[in-house]
Amino acid sequence: MLEVRNLCKSFGGLEVTKNVSFALEPGERRVVLGPNGAGKTTLFNLLVGELLPSSGDILIDGASITGLSVDQRALAGMSRSYQKNNLFEDLTVRENLALAASAGLSKTRWLARDSFHDPEVRDIVQDVAQQVAITEILDTPVHSASYGNRRQLEVGLALATRPKILLMDEPTSGVGPGMISAFNQLISGLPRELTVVIIEHDLDLAFDVADRITVLNYGDVVFEGTPAETRGNQIVRDIYLGDWQADA
Ligand SMILES: Nc1ncnc2c1ncn2[C@@H]1O[C@H](COP(=O)(O)OP(=O)(O)OP(=O)(O)O)[C@@H](O)[C@H]1O
Ligand SMILES: [Mg+2]
């Protein structure tokens, strides 16, 4: 349903995305692994349209979206959470979710909506708060919420637009072990029809939730396979033992 064909991106002379190709089944959970600077976030920026590729194509259900804007891609069902929190600190958790829900609805209806009183917005806020396990802190200002709760809210904002494809950029970055298992539950509990791509550094979580894994290194896809195949793969072991060296 989401397909990437020969995607390339350079910044000046630096090739950050090199001929990246992959295809996701509807409802698939794909984890993207790779060391710092491998080009994982850049790939997400290309998928959502925050960056334009140097060449290559991105397709949803067989139709190219490469020429579409960020808003048009959101309308096509793509939504992403950020590696670093991207929240309105002085608003409550509920208000943050309501704004995201309302933006998602307005895009489909071409209406400005009154986020806080619209029953449809209220329903989405409740649903999403449950999905990301933050119902207890809906009326807490974001700046007073724990770091882990803020990471959950970050994913909630992406879900509040009711996407078909959810991209999560290191949802567990900076959280402790207890919170990693909370994210494991969160991801496992997402609706099965939602297609999910997760950039993740925690290998146990990755192996647990992924249907398939794509490994990036220096902008190249160096491996794709099931969690079991990935676990046994020498290239992946080398990268994660920190002594990866290109053959060239
Ligand atoms: N706007 C930009 N201009 C120039 N270089 C960039 C830009 N964005 C990213 N890069 C470079 O591209 C490479 C890949 O960066 P990217 O953020 O995609 O890596 P990543 O795999 O997400 O890393 P991390 O695990 O640290 O988040 C890095 O060398 C980075 O410095
Ligand atoms: Mg990144």
Side-chain angles (χ1 to χ4, degrees):
M1 68 100 56
L2 175 66
E3 191 181 348
V4 168
R5 290 187 191 154
N6 303 317
L7 205 61
C8 296
K9 178 68 186 176
S10 299
F11 294 109
L14 183 67
E15 282 183 86
V16 175
T17 307
K18 298 177 191 161
N19 258 314
V20 168
S21 297
F22 56 80
L24 269 66
E25 298 293 327
E28 183 175 336
R29 274 91 225 262
R30 176 69 61 104
V31 170
V32 179
L33 293 177
N36 296 119
K40 304 179 300 294
T41 297
T42 301
L43 176 62
F44 272 18
N45 292 338
L46 291 166
L47 290 175
V48 299
E50 289 175 26
L51 284 175
L52 293 178
S54 311
S55 61
D57 212 3
I58 304 165
L59 304 95
I60 295 181
D61 295 332
S64 174
I65 60 157
T66 318
L68 300 186
S69 68
V70 172
D71 284 353
Q72 288 168 322
R73 292 183 201 201
L75 190 56
M78 191 112 77
S79 184
R80 65 94 60 92
S81 70
Y82 288 85
Q83 186 167 359
K84 293 195 175 123
N85 286 335
N86 198 27
L87 310 167
F88 293 109
E89 295 286 328
D90 291 333
L91 301 183
T92 63
V93 169
R94 185 193 304 282
E95 287 165 339
N96 270 266
L97 287 173
L99 287 172
S102 158
L105 290 171
S106 299
K107 262 179 203 132
T108 58
R109 308 271 168 83
W110 306 103
L111 285 175
R113 300 176 76 108
D114 177 358
S115 332
F116 305 121
H117 299 106
D118 185 320
E120 211 173 347
V121 169
R122 233 169 17 218
D123 286 349
I124 295 175
V125 169
Q126 280 302 335
D127 279 0
V128 169
Q130 250 166 31
Q131 281 182 306
V132 302
I134 52 175
T135 44
E136 306 293 307
I137 55 152
L138 275 172
D139 294 310
T140 303
V142 168
H143 61 71
S144 311
S146 71
Y147 178 77
N149 284 157
R150 292 151 64 112
R151 295 303 295 154
Q152 288 166 302
L153 174 58
E154 177 66 48
V155 174
L157 294 185
L159 280 171
T161 65
R162 293 271 157 106
K164 285 199 298 190
I165 303 168
L166 173 67
L167 311 176
M168 289 189 257
D169 195 347
E170 296 194 32
T172 67
S173 93
V175 310
M179 210 60 205
I180 288 188
S181 73
F183 270 98
N184 195 328
Q185 282 180 27
L186 186 168
I187 295 162
S188 308
L190 290 171
R192 211 40 247 201
E193 63 275 13
L194 185 65
T195 302
V196 185
V197 188
I198 311 160
I199 298 172
E200 182 53 59
H201 278 301
D202 187 280
L203 289 180
D204 290 333
L205 177 59
F207 291 145
D208 240 30
V209 300
D211 295 314
R212 293 182 74 73
I213 293 176
T214 296
V215 183
L216 284 181
N217 198 38
Y218 294 114
D220 279 314
V221 174
V222 291
F223 180 80
E224 184 190 312
T226 63
E229 289 162 351
T230 308
R231 214 187 271 276
N233 183 269
Q234 193 57 44
I235 295 173
V236 179
R237 284 169 178 264
D238 288 347
I239 290 174
Y240 276 87
L241 287 171
D243 58 357
W244 163 262
Q245 289 179 338
D247 288 335

